[in-house]
Amino acid sequence: MKDTQLTLKRYEKKYLLTAGQYAGIRRQLDPYIVPDVFFKSTVCSLYYDTDDYELIRRSIDAPVYKEKLRLRSYNVPGPEDTVFVELKKKFKGVVYKRRAAMGARDAAEYLAGGRAAPGDGQVTREIDWFLKTHEVRPRAFIACDREAYAGRGDGELRITFDENIRWRAEELDLTCGDGGESILPQGSVLMEIKLPEAAPLWLAEMLSENRVFPAGFSKYGECYKANLINGVIFSV
């Protein structure tokens, strides 16, 4: 299949909401947002890391620059369905995301070193270099049920709400379903706001009114920390 690619540059802020905060924020947002392209979906992500978890350990240390590699789909894919290989970089608070689309089976073989990327472009060259300089393999599967919105009249503003965030360390393949163990308590919602610059005044005031503050939350990071603390090592 033809390689389709996308490069994004933006700020991303995450907020952990209680059920009450979610209800208030969601109601107040109605006049400002519209459903996004992937409005309701189960977002499935397969995170790649080294044997000693170098990438997530570095990320948790909050360096000026960090990067991660994941394979993502919107809903559970079949072997030939489109998924996205994503190389995500963060430098001084700004997120740069490189994304290449390919079939699920092709993507898994490509990331395992079993085939070349289908297509040649700047994004796949960057991913190729990352794979050459990091010996990575699938380390954790994470899924969530997401509602995604864009700003009404402002397509660069994107707001997502993730519920039922779960993970697993077995069956590390996007085609193996979306089951897993819960990460957050029942009723918790992860809100993420993505935009190219500072939040508009109306949004900043809304967050303040509902006493909603940024949270340094990483789905993969939470899995890593929780399971190391409990003495459980990820397996494949």
Side-chain angles (χ1 to χ4, degrees), residues 14-18 20-22 24-25 28 191 203-215:
K14 297 178 182 178
Y15 306 81
L16 277 176
L17 308 179
T18 64
Q21 286 175 319
Y22 168 69
I25 284 284
Q28 290 177 265
M191 177 176 71
L203 181 54
E205 291 178 342
M206 187 183 300
L207 296 174
S208 178
E209 179 183 336
N210 287 274
R211 300 186 61 78
V212 172
F213 306 103

Side-chain angles (χ1 to χ4, degrees), residues 28-34 150-154 157 159 202-203 206:
Q28 290 177 265
L29 278 172
D30 261 347
Y32 300 98
I33 58 176
V34 294
R152 190 182 297 273
D154 180 9
L157 169 63
I159 301 177
W202 63 264
L203 181 54
M206 187 183 300

Side-chain angles (χ1 to χ4, degrees), residues 34-71:
V34 294
D36 203 357
V37 176
F38 295 107
F39 171 44
K40 286 191 176 184
S41 62
T42 295
V43 180
C44 301
S45 300
L46 195 59
Y47 287 83
Y48 284 70
D49 210 333
T50 63
D51 284 345
D52 62 355
Y53 304 97
E54 175 189 354
L55 299 178
I56 191 58
R57 288 190 293 106
R58 177 172 171 78
S59 178
I60 290 171
D61 287 340
V64 172
Y65 173 79
K66 60 184 179 181
E67 57 189 348
K68 63 183 174 184
L69 180 71
R70 69 188 178 201
L71 186 58

Side-chain angles (χ1 to χ4, degrees), residues 9-220:
K9 174 186 175 182
R10 62 196 182 192
Y11 291 93
E12 299 181 352
K13 293 291 186 181
K14 297 178 182 178
Y15 306 81
L16 277 176
L17 308 179
T18 64
Q21 286 175 319
Y22 168 69
I25 284 284
R26 182 63 192 83
R27 183 174 58 253
Q28 290 177 265
L29 278 172
D30 261 347
Y32 300 98
I33 58 176
V34 294
D36 203 357
V37 176
F38 295 107
F39 171 44
K40 286 191 176 184
S41 62
T42 295
V43 180
C44 301
S45 300
L46 195 59
Y47 287 83
Y48 284 70
D49 210 333
T50 63
D51 284 345
D52 62 355
Y53 304 97
E54 175 189 354
L55 299 178
I56 191 58
R57 288 190 293 106
R58 177 172 171 78
S59 178
I60 290 171
D61 287 340
V64 172
Y65 173 79
K66 60 184 179 181
E67 57 189 348
K68 63 183 174 184
L69 180 71
R70 69 188 178 201
L71 186 58
R72 169 162 288 187
S73 66
Y74 295 89
N75 301 313
V76 177
E80 307 303 324
D81 291 337
T82 299
V83 300
F84 301 94
V85 180
E86 295 184 347
L87 181 59
K88 196 171 182 180
K89 308 177 182 183
K90 191 172 185 179
F91 179 65
K92 292 186 176 180
V94 182
V95 173
Y96 302 84
K97 185 164 71 174
R98 277 74 166 121
R99 168 185 275 194
M102 56 191 79
R105 181 186 293 115
D106 290 345
E109 292 178 357
Y110 164 56
L111 293 176
R115 59 162 296 160
D120 179 41
Q122 178 61 31
V123 173
T124 50
R125 284 195 291 272
E126 288 188 39
I127 297 171
D128 284 343
W129 178 252
F130 180 92
L131 293 173
K132 183 179 292 185
T133 55
H134 299 80
E135 293 186 11
V136 297
R137 61 188 175 97
R139 302 301 269 160
F141 170 90
I142 299 176
C144 64
D145 300 323
R146 171 171 291 181
E147 286 191 3
Y149 299 89
R152 190 182 297 273
D154 180 9
E156 293 189 316
L157 169 63
R158 190 163 180 263
I159 301 177
T160 60
F161 297 97
D162 293 345
E163 298 182 82
N164 191 23
I165 303 173
R166 62 256 189 209
W167 76 279
R168 67 174 184 255
E170 298 79 29
E171 296 184 304
L172 297 181
D173 188 315
L174 293 182
T175 65
C176 290
D178 62 7
E181 297 293 323
S182 294
I183 295 176
L184 293 176
Q186 185 72 24
S188 297
V189 179
L190 179 65
M191 177 176 71
E192 190 164 356
I193 298 175
K194 308 170 185 181
L195 65 176
E197 51 190 19
L201 182 59
W202 63 264
L203 181 54
E205 291 178 342
M206 187 183 300
L207 296 174
S208 178
E209 179 183 336
N210 287 274
R211 300 186 61 78
V212 172
F213 306 103
F217 182 90
S218 161
K219 298 183 185 78
Y220 178 33

